[in-house]
Amino acid sequence: MTRTLAALPGAARRLCLSRRRGEICTREKGHRGLHHRRGGSLLWNDLQADPPECPGAGTIAEPAPTLDDGFPGGRALCPVCWAFVPIGAGGGLSAHDTWRGDPTRAEADRRRDWFNAYGW
């Protein structure tokens, strides 16, 4: 039996995605109280969270290989946050926020297909 991601239990659950020391909060989006990483003792509040800007900005990069449909459209893969990011005029990754999830299911599917084709 083949199960798609959308059919898996919890697939529609949206995580908070606040980060501390690169670890992502595993509570549901909009939760009250401290952020935490399940399976560890890492707890934090909003003031202790990592800034949204990724420290990978400026890293020299080349466009990632493309799928048949052209995804990721000339963007490079950030080695810090794993976001697909435009390359600036100097050949470095443009300033960007740390990847915190795909905005749409379609983007998530394309991203999954890319990682299945090219790995990390």
Side-chain angles (χ1 to χ4, degrees):
M1 175 174 124
T2 302
R3 296 173 76 182
T4 63
L5 182 60
L8 294 175
R13 183 173 166 236
R14 297 294 299 180
L15 296 179
C16 168
L17 302 178
S18 175
R19 294 175 186 252
R20 174 124 194 253
R21 289 185 259 165
E23 297 289 340
I24 300 173
C25 179
T26 54
R27 296 187 73 186
E28 292 205 26
K29 188 174 184 176
H31 68 83
R32 290 189 275 171
L34 294 174
H35 301 285
H36 71 82
R37 177 73 183 173
R38 186 172 293 137
S41 59
L42 185 62
L43 298 170
W44 68 95
N45 62 34
D46 288 339
L47 295 175
Q48 297 167 319
D50 293 347
E53 300 83 18
C54 179
T59 302
I60 300 300
E62 293 183 14
T66 59
L67 296 176
D68 290 340
D69 67 1
F71 183 85
R75 297 176 291 171
L77 186 64
C78 176
V80 176
C81 73
W82 302 101
F84 288 106
V85 181
I87 299 172
L93 297 176
S94 298
H96 61 282
D97 284 350
T98 298
W99 184 80
R100 295 178 186 273
D102 296 302
T104 66
R105 176 80 259 163
E107 179 79 6
D109 290 345
R110 294 172 81 204
R111 183 179 172 83
R112 181 197 63 233
D113 291 344
W114 188 93
F115 279 102
N116 283 335
Y118 297 105
W120 35 44

